[in-house]
């Protein structure tokens, strides 16, 4: 039986519509933390709404009404991860900025907890369109956050003026995600450095220039 002391919210509450310290925000934080814990411990297909509610200390009816399904939980977790992402580095050079980006991706994917979470959300996105859109939105937000590294590099004369910043950044992270999610190979610091070196060489050759 659900305890009366558990967090609850009004039926009309929507994520992100109240002040950070409000009841709705507290409910969302508790549920998303519980969802992340669950994905860190087990695959997406084991995600159980009743267990999430119990772990978060939230009424089951609240969780079902607000998120609807495990897919809804994962999609909102991805939105939250995008909101909480750290800002891009500004090291003073393109090489330094891209290296910081690659190191961040490497550190995240090799972290025992976050690596498991990303495996789970990638698996969810592969079989559900809502999760796929949420994952796409997460990465678009991250790419947009890091896009200024290319703008600064153009101003310093390190890149052609018409370089596509997003393609440049994708070239850094794509080899790392390929090893992580497709071939399931060990991901090392040398792999991150190799990705940066290859992206820099391609950028210098104009491989990312001329895109609209």
């Amino acid at each position: 039986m659900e305890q009366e002391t558990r967090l609850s919210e009004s039926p009309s509450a929507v994520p992100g519509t109240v002040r950070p310290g409000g009841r709705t925000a507290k409910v969302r934080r508790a549920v998303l933390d519980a969802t992340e814990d669950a994905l860190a411990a087990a695959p997406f297909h084991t995600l159980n709404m009743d267990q999430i509610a119990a772990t978060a200390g939230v009424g089951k009816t609240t969780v079902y009404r607000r998120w609807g399904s495990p897919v809804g939980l994962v999609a909102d977790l991805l939105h939250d991860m995008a909101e909480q992402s750290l800002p891009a580095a500004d090291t003073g050079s393109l090489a330094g900025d891209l290296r910081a980006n690659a190191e961040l991706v490497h550190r995240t994917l090799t972290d025992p907890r976050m690596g498991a979470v990303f495996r789970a959300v990638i698996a969810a996105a592969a079989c559900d369109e809502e999760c796929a859109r949420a994952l796409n939105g997460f990465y678009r937000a991250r790419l947009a956050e890091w896009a200024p590294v290319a703008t600064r590099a153009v101003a310093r004369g390190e890149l052609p003026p018409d370089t596509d910043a997003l393609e440049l950044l994708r070239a850094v992270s794509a080899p790392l995600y390929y090893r992580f999610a497709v071939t399931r190979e060990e991901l090392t610091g040398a792999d991150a450095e190799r990705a940066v070196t290859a992206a820099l060489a391609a950028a210098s050759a104009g491989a990312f220039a001329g895109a609209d």
Side-chain angles (χ1 to χ4, degrees):
M1 179 180 296
E2 297 175 20
Q3 299 177 2
E4 292 181 359
T5 55
R6 286 178 175 176
L7 294 170
S8 62
E9 61 172 336
S10 66
S12 61
V14 176
T17 60
V18 298
R19 65 187 186 282
R23 186 180 298 273
T24 296
K26 290 178 181 178
V27 168
R28 183 182 184 228
R29 181 76 274 139
V31 170
L32 293 186
D33 285 349
T35 300
E36 185 177 300
D37 289 343
L39 293 176
F44 165 72
H45 70 269
T46 67
L47 197 62
N48 182 281
M49 300 281 280
D50 290 2
Q51 186 58 51
I52 293 298
T55 301
V58 174
K60 288 190 294 185
T61 55
T62 295
V63 175
Y64 280 97
R65 181 178 63 244
R66 181 164 172 177
W67 285 275
S69 68
V71 166
L73 288 171
V74 172
D76 197 24
L77 178 62
L78 283 164
H79 292 316
D80 182 69
M81 290 167 63
E83 293 166 1
Q84 301 298 323
S85 294
L86 296 174
D90 184 359
T91 66
S93 73
L94 178 62
D97 290 347
L98 295 185
R99 189 167 291 111
N101 181 268
E103 289 172 352
L104 175 60
V105 173
H106 173 261
R107 187 166 62 250
T108 300
L109 297 183
T110 57
D111 179 81
R113 175 183 175 83
M114 292 311 300
V117 170
F118 271 91
R119 285 195 194 283
V121 298
I122 290 170
C127 60
D128 183 88
E129 185 60 31
E130 182 182 352
C131 282
R133 288 193 300 270
L135 187 61
N136 179 274
F138 169 80
Y139 283 113
R140 283 193 173 276
R142 295 308 298 139
L143 289 170
E145 180 69 36
W146 281 81
V149 306
T151 304
R152 294 193 296 264
V154 168
R156 291 190 297 260
E158 296 177 286
L159 286 175
D162 55 349
T163 295
D164 187 317
L166 303 190
E167 288 302 318
L168 170 63
L169 292 164
R170 288 189 183 103
V172 174
S173 60
L176 307 183
Y177 277 99
Y178 181 83
R179 286 176 176 270
F180 173 77
V182 178
T183 63
R184 301 292 290 265
E185 298 173 78
E186 180 184 5
L187 193 58
T188 69
D191 296 320
E193 184 63 30
R194 187 181 305 110
V196 172
T197 300
L200 286 169
S204 296
F208 309 121
D212 293 328

